């Protein structure tokens, strides 16, 4: 097995990418207060986080602006209202879904934007479109990533072909994404080995975006990190769609680089996360997500089940199981 | 790295040990209803679970029977009232703490008892007393285990010596116990390798008892299982002290032996676990447990913090941190 670094040292190539507003926005339609986002921005700076993803660059043709909070669209001006000139060590990231972004209109020259990195989320069958977006963003001056979603549904040959294609592009970082939270550490390590081989060949970084359906988001993140994966997605207190993500506070507890500090995040959690839960926002590991994760299914049925406050887990399991047949 | 079995096959040597009442009893002082225990017993049988641990054989001299539910003491008659002659595939286990059990009085001949296995919990400095208990129980006809607690606080030389000593005894199974939920998979694998070497040398089984302070109980269990660890402790919905344990429903989702079924457990969760939570019983992963786990500390301060409904995580972290200095 590949191994980089030991438990007592640290790897300077590690980058922690805070996705709290972006993935958490899928829980509350991006209706975060400015105070939440501003406090998170400041907590991230103090905690030594490397990137903060503010949300999506979603197409305003396709999505009604009145139905979502501003971080679904991430206008440069809205970001600037939070970060000013962002004269800090924290870089700014946005996500752009293939087919759901007017990138030629909405992504301007990096020189005039507070954004540092554009992450392109794609399924394996839309890689050519993803590459077109990456080329465009790269020329505009941005760092870029390609995040291949739902990789647990792809077959090995398609994935090998896709990684070769991406390897030859100008993209900086390629992400392993466990969209359904269905992958065990053993499988994650096999995937990481595959991605890291491409990274070595084409001089790329590899990232991981894990979901917590089977309480494995943190484990999968640190297991692949020790192999050489270096871009680590996490969210404060797991805030994110369905079972949520790798919790930043757990991840910072593992990382040994003295630049990372957990205290500012704990203060943020006290002030904001406790309140979100009290207000009734629900996310994080629970039985319905374990069941969709185990069956390698999209979490949408589990999200609906949870929203309806149902607890008839056995019936739900058999409903999901029957869908597979 | 050692490797036994693949993800698509199953290992017939695997034994799942349900510790819900025993470890869960540490949350509610063992005040489970008979209906809870009886339903769990039946669910375990239907789910294919291999052992059910009913509780402790605690000394009635040392503990006031009026202050605890009956499963702190596990009278043979109380077990029999649930299981009758236990004419099933599910074996019955109890735990006996070194120094807290009147084993010569309370553990009778196996021939007259519904109990199949006695698990002796010991710290590394009381191994000789543990071995005395194991010899006694072995002669009485029971299967035995030694569970070395708080192994994350032991040094390697002491542990090697302890394992050699235990290896030469008549004990059947030796347990890795991550009492504080502080160990990462990489460390767990190193420990498992050490224990498995002793198992090979002396023909023993190795077990794992993980805690979920860092959301690693399931990951650590399946990682060491793939190396050859075969006795797997878990509890329904993680019910157990502090951050709880490896959730049985996650573990059964991973195991491929067709004898294991998740549905009966889901029914049990619907009926009993949902109710326990509604009644206000609190357990499972949360920030305070992450902090004690990360600092390799006993969870008692985190349990108290949680009981007081506090959310001043930063102050709590600094309190814990200062204790280390």
């Amino acid at each position: 097995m590949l191994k980089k670094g030991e438990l007592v040292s640290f790897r300077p190539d590690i980058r922690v990418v805070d996705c709290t507003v972006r993935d958490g926005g899928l829980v509350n339609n991006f209706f975060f207060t400015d105070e939440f986002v501003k406090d998170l921005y400041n907590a991230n700076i103090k905690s030594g986080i490397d990137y903060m993803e503010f949300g999506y660059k979603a197409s305003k043709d396709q999505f009604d602006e009145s139905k979502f909070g501003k971080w679904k669209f991430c206008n440069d001006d809205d970001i600037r209202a939070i970060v000013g000139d962002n004269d800090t060590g924290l870089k700014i990231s946005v996500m752009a879904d293939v087919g759901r972004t007017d990138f030629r209109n909405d992504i301007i020259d990096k020189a005039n934007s507070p954004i540092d990195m554009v992450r392109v989320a794609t399924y394996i069958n839309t890689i050519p479109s993803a590459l077109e977006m990456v080329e465009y963003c790269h020329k505009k001056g941005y760092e870029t990533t390609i995040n291949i979603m739902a990789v647990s549904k792809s077959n090995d040959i398609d994935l090998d072909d896709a990684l070769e294609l991406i390897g030859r592009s100008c993209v900086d970082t390629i992400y392993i994404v466990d969209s359904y939270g269905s992958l065990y550490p053993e499988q994650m390590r096999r995937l990481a080995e595959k991605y890291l081989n491409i990274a070595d060949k084409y001089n790329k970084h590899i990232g991981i975006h894990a979901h917590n359906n089977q309480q494995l988001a943190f484990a999968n993140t640190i297991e692949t990190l020790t192999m050489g994966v270096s871009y680590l997605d996490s969210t404060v207190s797991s805030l994110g769609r369905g079972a949520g993500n790798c919790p930043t506070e757990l991840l910072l507890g593992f990382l040994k680089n003295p630049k990372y500090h957990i205290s500012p995040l704990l203060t943020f959690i006290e002030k904001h996360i406790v309140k979100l839960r009290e207000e009734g926002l629900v996310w994080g590991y629970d039985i319905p997500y374990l069941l969709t994760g185990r069956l390698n299914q999209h979490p949408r049925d589990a999200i609906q089940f949870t929203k309806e406050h149902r607890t008839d887990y056995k019936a739900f399991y058999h409903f999901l199981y029957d869908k597979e047949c």
Side-chain angles (χ1 to χ4, degrees), chain A:
Chain A
M1 197 170 100
L2 297 167
K3 175 120 164 62
K4 282 198 180 170
E6 308 81 30
L7 280 176
V8 293
S9 65
F10 73 85
R11 294 225 320 272
D13 60 320
I14 294 294
R15 300 287 178 269
V16 177
V17 181
D18 165 47
C19 304
T20 308
V21 174
R22 203 271 304 159
D23 217 316
L26 299 173
V27 185
N28 71 351
N29 285 333
F30 304 89
F31 286 116
F32 293 104
T33 63
D34 282 357
E35 191 189 14
F36 181 100
V37 178
K38 180 88 183 170
D39 285 352
L40 180 59
Y41 170 72
N42 286 322
N44 279 335
I45 292 168
K46 284 189 195 160
S47 292
I49 302 295
D50 300 284
Y51 291 84
M52 173 170 170
E53 190 155 85
F54 272 71
Y56 287 92
K57 273 276 185 195
S59 160
K60 290 164 200 166
D61 273 354
Q62 292 180 44
F63 298 97
D64 183 345
E65 279 186 272
S66 70
K67 296 207 170 121
F68 297 93
K70 60 180 115 167
W71 307 111
K72 173 96 173 170
F73 305 97
C74 282
N75 293 323
D76 284 21
D77 289 346
D78 289 330
I79 296 176
R80 249 193 233 292
I82 303 289
V83 310
D85 290 334
N86 187 34
D87 189 15
T88 75
L90 178 71
K91 290 183 175 181
I92 308 296
S93 152
V94 293
M95 181 158 272
D97 278 346
V98 163
R100 294 181 170 180
T101 302
D102 297 329
F103 58 94
R104 292 184 201 282
N105 284 323
D106 293 337
I107 296 179
I108 62 172
D109 278 348
K110 154 92 202 86
N112 303 318
S113 169
I115 298 166
D116 297 285
M117 180 164 75
V118 178
R119 307 206 304 168
V120 176
T122 178
Y123 289 101
I124 200 157
N125 61 332
T126 54
I127 300 269
S129 302
L131 291 174
E132 184 185 39
M133 287 169 69
V134 158
E135 296 287 342
Y136 177 88
C137 295
H138 179 78
K139 277 189 194 141
K140 290 280 179 189
Y142 296 94
E143 299 172 37
T144 57
T145 80
I146 284 191
N147 299 24
I148 313 172
M149 297 185 290
V151 71
S152 57
K153 293 272 196 191
S154 305
N155 71 55
D156 274 334
I157 295 169
D158 288 351
L159 184 56
D160 287 339
D161 290 347
L163 288 174
E164 271 296 328
L165 204 59
I166 296 168
R168 284 184 231 127
S169 80
C170 60
V171 80
D172 301 298
T173 302
I174 313 170
Y175 260 90
I176 310 169
V177 185
D178 182 16
S179 300
Y180 305 148
S182 68
L183 295 169
Y184 297 114
E186 189 171 335
Q187 298 169 306
M188 271 296 196
R189 287 193 296 263
R190 277 207 294 262
L191 276 176
E193 195 157 354
K194 192 192 277 292
Y195 282 61
L196 285 165
N197 285 337
I198 291 291
D200 277 352
K201 185 170 167 187
Y202 294 107
N203 198 24
K204 310 291 186 195
H205 307 292
I206 301 300
I208 178 166
H209 182 89
H211 278 283
N212 209 26
N213 297 61
Q214 301 194 88
Q215 295 192 2
L216 292 171
F218 176 52
N220 282 336
T221 300
I222 61 178
E223 281 296 292
T224 55
L225 132 69
T226 58
M227 295 173 68
V229 169
S230 56
Y231 278 63
L232 312 176
D233 283 16
S234 66
T235 69
V236 178
S237 292
S238 258
L239 182 57
R241 189 176 69 178
N245 301 66
C246 172
T248 311
E249 56 273 24
L250 272 175
L251 185 58
L252 292 198
F254 179 82
L255 298 174
K256 301 297 181 292
N257 189 331
K259 74 175 260 196
Y260 295 122
H261 304 287
I262 197 176
S263 276
L265 284 184
L266 294 176
T267 302
F268 179 82
I269 291 168
E270 284 173 40
K271 180 171 175 189
H272 288 289
I273 298 293
V274 171
K275 196 169 150 219
L276 282 188
R277 289 207 195 272
E278 283 169 359
E279 288 169 358
L281 207 64
V282 176
W283 74 92
Y285 171 82
D286 202 354
I287 305 274
Y289 301 116
L290 140 66
L291 298 175
T292 59
R294 189 208 170 179
L295 294 168
N296 195 14
Q297 290 184 10
H298 192 286
R300 67 174 71 82
D301 289 320
I303 291 169
Q304 187 60 31
F305 180 95
T306 304
K307 198 176 270 179
E308 293 170 6
H309 304 288
R310 286 171 58 187
T311 57
D312 53 327
Y313 303 118
K314 184 182 169 185
F316 181 62
Y317 178 59
H318 288 282
F319 161 78
L320 294 174
Y321 199 87
D322 288 345
K323 285 179 64 181
E324 297 289 300
C325 304

